[in-house]
Amino acid sequence: MLLKLHRKQRWLYIAAAVFLLIIEVLIERYVHDNFVRPYLGDLLVVILIYAIVMACSKIKVWTGAIATLLFSYAVETAQYLQLVNLLGLEENKFARIVIGTSFSWWDMLMYTLGFITVIILEKTISMNSY
């Protein structure tokens, strides 16, 4: 029974990750506004990364959520430090997209709100699964 539960949970995380990836791509391709793309997109990417982490590992919710948040902060810190330029990758579009090029405290806030959303969703789902 425990194995089936883990398998079911993994599929839920995989489904969530695929769904969020599609949403992120749609936002990137078609939304060019001042709220959804810069703010909601950053919040959703934390949830996306968390879902991928949880689908690929057996770590606990808090461990996965904190690791995802710290990773997000590290990427934003790399932007602050202009890591893309330091590595000589300013012409590499993939590096510019993945690492990013501009630091923002608003991004840090959105990552934190994404983390809080993950914790609330996990608490809500775990309470409703009994």
Side-chain angles (χ1 to χ4, degrees):
M1 181 70 172
L2 189 59
L3 182 61
K4 288 181 183 177
L5 180 63
H6 287 304
R7 219 178 256 159
K8 182 180 176 185
Q9 286 176 331
R10 284 192 194 283
W11 281 108
L12 289 173
Y13 287 123
I14 291 168
V18 169
F19 175 75
L20 289 167
L21 180 61
I22 291 167
I23 296 297
E24 287 286 353
V25 169
L26 291 173
I27 288 171
E28 191 276 327
R29 301 284 298 169
Y30 300 109
V31 180
H32 304 286
D33 68 348
N34 294 325
F35 177 75
V36 172
R37 187 170 181 159
Y39 300 111
L40 186 60
D42 285 342
L43 184 143
L44 291 176
V45 80
V46 170
I47 302 169
L48 167 62
I49 294 168
Y50 171 79
I52 293 169
V53 166
M54 297 307 283
C56 298
S57 70
K58 294 182 181 183
I59 60 177
K60 295 181 181 187
V61 167
W62 277 99
T63 304
I66 291 170
T68 300
L69 181 62
L70 292 175
F71 173 78
S72 301
Y73 286 169
V75 169
E76 197 67 23
T77 301
Q79 292 173 12
Y80 176 78
L81 298 172
Q82 296 291 306
L83 186 63
V84 170
N85 294 339
L86 290 172
L87 296 174
L89 298 173
E90 52 274 331
E91 301 300 321
N92 185 317
K93 185 176 181 176
F94 182 74
R96 292 174 59 84
I97 290 170
V98 172
I99 299 170
T101 57
S102 61
F103 174 84
S104 169
W105 285 108
W106 288 109
D107 290 352
M108 298 290 257
L109 175 62
M110 291 300 108
Y111 301 151
T112 305
L113 292 176
F115 165 81
I116 292 168
T117 302
V118 161
I119 297 302
I120 291 170
L121 286 170
E122 287 286 7
K123 284 273 191 199
T124 303
I125 291 167
S126 71
M127 284 194 291
N128 290 332
S129 66
Y130 294 107

